[in-house]
């Protein structure tokens, strides 16, 4: 499992997280439950196939909030248990859109 958060988070912004899960029933639902349990709101969820592995998908979630807050760090720690890979790929605020 990999975990590579960026240090440029924004309290009033959003972050984009990329992750993969095992190809088994309920794996994605567990990830979504963790995000919800920590009080984060997802704005979007997209999936793209992993070319090197059949039936494996990268998922991209756009999430409101600060991933570097204590709540965000706790969420990412729990997500590491559910995800094969996880990475914060970017941050932005409403004013940047």
């Amino acid at each position: 499992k990999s975990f590579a958060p960026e240090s440029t988070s924004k309290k009033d912004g959003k972050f984009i997280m990329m992750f993969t899960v095992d190809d088994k029933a309920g794996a994605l639902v567990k990830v979504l439950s963790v995000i919800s349990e920590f009080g984060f709101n997802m704005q979007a969820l997209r999936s793209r196939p992993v070319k090197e592995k059949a039936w494996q998908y990268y998922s991209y979630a756009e999430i409101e909030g600060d991933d570097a807050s204590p709540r965000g760090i706790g969420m990412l720690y729990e997500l590491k248990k559910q995800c094969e890979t996880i990475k914060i790929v970017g941050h932005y605020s409403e004013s940047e859109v």
Side-chain angles (χ1 to χ4, degrees):
K1 295 182 182 182
S2 66
F3 171 60
E6 293 180 358
S7 60
T8 58
S9 65
K10 298 179 180 182
K11 288 185 179 184
D12 62 343
K14 298 178 183 181
F15 61 96
I16 308 240
M17 179 177 70
M18 183 201 71
F19 60 93
T20 59
V21 294
D22 288 331
D23 179 30
K24 58 184 173 183
L28 182 58
V29 171
K30 289 178 183 178
V31 169
L32 301 180
S33 293
V34 169
I35 293 168
S36 176
E37 286 170 13
F38 280 86
F40 285 90
N41 184 38
M42 271 192 348
Q43 294 289 307
L45 178 65
R46 295 173 184 87
S47 296
R48 300 288 181 258
V50 175
K51 293 179 183 179
E52 301 82 28
K53 294 183 179 181
W55 304 107
Q56 178 87 38
Y57 294 86
Y58 287 108
S59 295
Y60 299 87
E62 181 180 315
I63 303 170
E64 292 179 336
D66 182 5
D67 61 302
S69 69
R71 194 168 46 107
I73 292 168
M75 177 192 70
L76 293 170
Y77 178 79
E78 290 301 317
L79 287 174
K80 284 176 56 176
K81 298 175 185 177
Q82 304 296 328
C83 299
E84 283 187 13
T85 61
I86 183 170
K87 183 177 181 180
I88 304 301
V89 294
H91 298 91
Y92 66 94
S93 67
E94 291 295 326
S95 62
E96 294 174 323
V97 178

